[in-house]
Amino acid sequence: MATAGSVSELRVVLLGNSWCERSSVGNFILGAAVFNTKEEWDRCQRASGEREGNKVVVINTPDLLHDNISENRLTEHLKECVRLSHPGPHVFLLVLQPEHFTEEHKQRLCRVLERFSDQSFDHSLMLISPSREEGSGLMEQPPLQDMIRKCRYRYLKWKNLQLPELLTRLGQTAKENNGEPVSCEVFEDATSALPDDHQSQKPKEIRHPLTEAVKAAGM
């Protein structure tokens, strides 16, 4: 029997401004090349992997942080993401690059998280990519530090990160919220309002077994 705060299916939503890096992180979590890192999709994608009766579900998103995205298009993507993560994501994994994380970028990311739910920051974990400008002090820049505070100081550095550590932190983030997913009430009709033909067009879920390293993590 699952203990309080544990989950039998961990649902993770990837957010950030680089499709390549989001896809790479999703593939890293699942232990298989399920997301195309070169060709960006204009819709959300869902893939999952099994490990000893438990399941990790990863929802990769298109560029929701683009400065030219329309409000209607953003709403469509958010509804699709909520539908694919039903009954709600446990963790928002924010894949960020310090050299690109400006104040404007931070505001767009916060806007997207707030659109999901006012609980989103409690369910967020930052994954920070290595800076191309070593020793530049980009980690100390105000926008990134402010985002770290908003996410309750939950962050990891992508460089030299081992899979068990990432899986453990994802599991810890879920447990800190008693295993409860984000309640995206503003989109609560995202599934029921969809017609049958839309349901039939949803992307087929990609299933791949996780690697032994994933199983060894034992979230």
Side-chain angles (χ1 to χ4, degrees):
M1 181 180 295
T3 58
S6 65
V7 293
S8 60
E9 177 183 275
L10 181 68
R11 296 179 296 278
V12 180
V13 170
L14 301 175
L15 294 173
N17 70 329
S18 169
W19 171 265
C20 177
E21 294 215 18
R22 289 195 304 277
S23 298
S24 295
V25 170
N27 293 341
F28 182 65
I29 293 172
L30 295 174
V34 294
F35 297 116
N36 188 327
T37 59
K38 296 181 179 179
E39 182 180 356
E40 181 169 357
W41 280 44
D42 190 32
R43 65 182 302 175
C44 297
Q45 288 182 290
R46 170 184 165 124
S48 68
E50 302 286 340
R51 38 70 162 140
E52 297 183 350
N54 293 320
K55 183 169 145 181
V56 175
V57 175
V58 176
I59 294 92
N60 198 4
T61 60
D63 190 357
L64 305 182
L65 307 184
H66 196 282
D67 54 357
N68 292 327
I69 190 171
S70 69
E71 192 67 23
N72 288 341
R73 192 61 176 154
L74 176 60
T75 298
E76 288 177 9
H77 287 317
L78 296 182
K79 284 185 176 181
E80 179 74 355
C81 184
V82 168
R83 183 175 70 81
L84 293 178
S85 62
H86 183 76
H90 293 102
V91 184
F92 291 105
L93 187 57
L94 315 180
V95 184
L96 307 178
Q97 301 79 40
E99 59 266 35
H100 299 308
F101 200 72
T102 63
E103 178 64 26
E104 184 181 8
H105 189 177
K106 184 200 78 176
Q107 291 177 3
R108 291 200 299 267
L109 178 56
C110 289
R111 171 177 170 243
V112 168
L113 287 169
E114 289 165 356
R115 285 288 304 276
F116 278 111
S117 169
D118 57 6
Q119 308 166 6
S120 293
F121 291 105
D122 292 329
H123 292 258
S124 293
L125 171 65
M126 295 171 58
L127 182 58
I128 302 173
S129 300
S131 171
R132 295 184 180 87
E133 305 172 24
E134 293 297 332
S136 62
L138 289 172
M139 277 292 296
E140 305 303 320
Q141 293 298 315
L144 192 61
Q145 288 297 311
D146 189 32
M147 199 69 202
I148 289 173
R149 286 191 291 270
K150 286 179 178 294
C151 294
R152 318 295 186 250
Y153 297 91
R154 296 189 197 91
Y155 75 93
L156 289 168
K157 293 184 178 180
W158 184 221
K159 186 176 182 179
N160 300 324
L161 180 66
Q162 298 298 309
L163 183 57
E165 182 181 2
L166 175 56
L167 291 173
T168 297
R169 290 297 298 274
L170 290 169
Q172 286 176 346
T173 302
K175 289 178 181 180
E176 287 172 11
N177 292 283
N178 298 315
E180 295 295 325
V182 178
S183 176
C184 305
E185 295 178 356
V186 67
F187 301 117
E188 61 184 3
D189 63 341
T191 55
S192 60
L194 290 173
D196 291 340
D197 60 342
H198 189 115
Q199 292 278 13
S200 65
Q201 293 173 11
K202 69 180 181 180
K204 182 179 180 181
E205 182 174 326
I206 313 165
R207 293 177 179 271
H208 284 267
L210 296 185
T211 61
E212 290 302 313
V214 181
K215 295 179 180 179
M219 279 191 304

